[in-house]
Amino acid sequence: MTDAAIKRVWEGVAAAGSSAVRHAIESNIRRLSTINEQQTEPRADSRLRRWVLRSLIHSLFRVRVEHLERIPPEPAILSANHLHHIDPLLLLAEIPTQPHYYILGDARTLYNKWWKRFILAFAGGVIPLERIWKEELAVIAAAKAGQQNLLELATAIEKTVHTGGDIQTLRQIDRIVLAILARGDGMILFPEGRLGTTEGQLHLPLKRGTVIYALRAGVPIVPIALIGTHDLYLRKELTIRVGEPLYFTPDSRPKRQAVDAALEKLQQAMLDLLPTDYQEPTGTKLFRHFLNHMFW
């Protein structure tokens, strides 16, 4: 465990124990649960949400979008690789406003800063997913293996962090996602299930949830490559590259073989969009530490 990783885990534990973060998660889940009752939860107009996020992103970075026209006007799942916590905000700043897109994302990294809570409370469209991070699991394992300097942190993780892995919570999230797709809205998902560490690469294998939702809801998956977001600095070019939609035969109870076949197709489509020779720009990188930490 590096010092930077340990610092991040401490920050994650602090977010897990924050009453403001807890309130944001619980109030948002309550609002989203009304979708199952055929009600519309409070949310900002998609055009206003995009304008707010685009104003923020474009003031700091240069953004390049390739083949945006490939995103269909119908309900769909946008499936992107994940390099940084700016990724969902970047996508919402650039994708079409119809249908209205929702993000299924890590609750603590979406709500860990006051300005994120402010913007996302106003904008709506977030399904907060609670989970324990791989770094936190590594801390617990190291402490149990006898690394005494991590014992306090491991204890804090076990006491504070909500894993969200119970059946009731998972079923609640499933109901919300399927209700959103059924009423004609879209979803943004990151099937790697974690942050990637290298530009141009996917963390494999991909999680099955993305294709299971698509098969059950009968909606296409649009593969997307995000390029340049792993390391941020002022005026860096960030690229969104959109692939052709993938269509599958709807199945309310998809079998393992159909899921695996769809997942393989999605994986290859995402790999085809990623650069094979990405080179990180050289030269002065203004506000690098500030911007990486700002969006962390």
Side-chain angles (χ1 to χ4, degrees), residues 197-211:
T197 58
T198 307
E199 291 277 359
Q201 294 184 15
L202 286 179
H203 181 73
L204 301 175
L206 300 180
K207 304 297 184 182
R208 291 184 171 84
T210 298
V211 297

Side-chain angles (χ1 to χ4, degrees), residues 6-21:
I6 292 171
K7 181 181 178 182
R8 168 164 160 69
V9 172
W10 273 117
E11 291 174 351
V13 171
S18 165
S19 59
V21 173

Side-chain angles (χ1 to χ4, degrees), residues 26-282:
E26 293 174 354
S27 61
N28 209 11
I29 289 293
R30 280 197 302 271
R31 287 197 299 270
L32 290 166
S33 295
T34 65
I35 295 174
N36 297 323
E37 302 164 12
Q38 305 303 312
Q39 299 179 27
T40 301
E41 85 289 0
R43 69 187 192 191
D45 182 90
S46 295
R47 292 166 296 181
L48 180 58
R49 178 178 70 175
R50 184 172 68 176
W51 180 82
V52 170
L53 291 172
R54 183 177 285 183
S55 298
L56 171 64
I57 299 295
H58 284 219
S59 68
L60 299 170
F61 309 102
R62 294 179 295 120
V63 180
R64 177 185 177 91
V65 183
E66 300 176 2
H67 307 298
L68 191 64
E69 74 282 356
R70 290 174 174 172
I71 298 179
E74 63 200 56
I77 295 175
L78 308 186
S79 174
N81 61 311
H82 200 8
L83 292 165
H84 200 285
H85 297 305
I86 196 176
D87 295 342
L89 306 180
L90 175 64
L91 286 168
L92 288 177
E94 301 298 332
I95 62 175
T97 57
Q98 293 298 326
H100 189 97
Y101 277 93
Y102 287 74
I103 304 165
L104 177 61
D106 183 84
R108 284 184 284 163
T109 52
L110 286 168
Y111 293 138
N112 63 341
K113 293 183 170 65
W114 70 267
W115 66 268
K116 291 184 186 178
R117 293 193 295 272
F118 176 79
I119 289 179
L120 294 176
F122 152 76
V126 171
I127 306 171
L129 182 64
E130 295 192 83
R131 59 187 176 187
I132 191 166
W133 298 344
K134 63 180 179 64
E135 297 96 335
E136 292 168 335
L137 292 173
V139 167
I140 293 172
K144 289 181 177 179
Q147 200 163 331
Q148 293 297 313
N149 63 313
L150 295 178
L151 186 58
E152 180 185 359
L153 179 53
T155 302
I157 294 167
E158 292 177 328
K159 287 183 177 179
T160 310
V161 174
H162 296 253
T163 64
D166 60 283
I167 295 297
Q168 181 179 353
T169 299
L170 294 175
R171 286 178 176 171
Q172 184 180 38
I173 295 295
D174 283 351
R175 286 194 298 268
I176 290 171
V177 171
L178 292 172
I180 285 170
L181 294 170
R183 75 174 186 184
D185 291 324
M187 288 294 309
I188 298 173
L189 300 177
F190 300 98
E192 291 171 288
R194 52 166 284 183
L195 285 177
T197 58
T198 307
E199 291 277 359
Q201 294 184 15
L202 286 179
H203 181 73
L204 301 175
L206 300 180
K207 304 297 184 182
R208 291 184 171 84
T210 298
V211 297
I212 290 174
Y213 285 137
L215 292 170
R216 291 177 65 190
V219 301
I221 301 176
V222 182
I224 293 179
L226 299 176
I227 304 164
T229 64
H230 179 63
D231 186 29
L232 303 178
Y233 52 85
L234 188 65
R235 309 312 301 161
K236 186 181 185 183
E237 182 174 273
L238 312 179
T239 299
I240 299 173
R241 182 176 294 161
V242 183
E244 295 286 354
L246 306 176
Y247 292 88
F248 306 98
T249 303
D251 189 342
S252 60
R253 301 183 69 178
K255 294 182 171 56
R256 178 68 174 267
Q257 185 176 3
V259 171
D260 288 347
L263 192 64
E264 184 176 352
K265 190 174 181 180
L266 172 61
Q267 177 179 306
Q268 189 58 55
M270 293 179 68
L271 287 171
D272 289 344
L273 292 171
L274 290 169
T276 57
D277 57 350
Y278 180 85
Q279 296 293 322
E280 189 68 34
T282 58

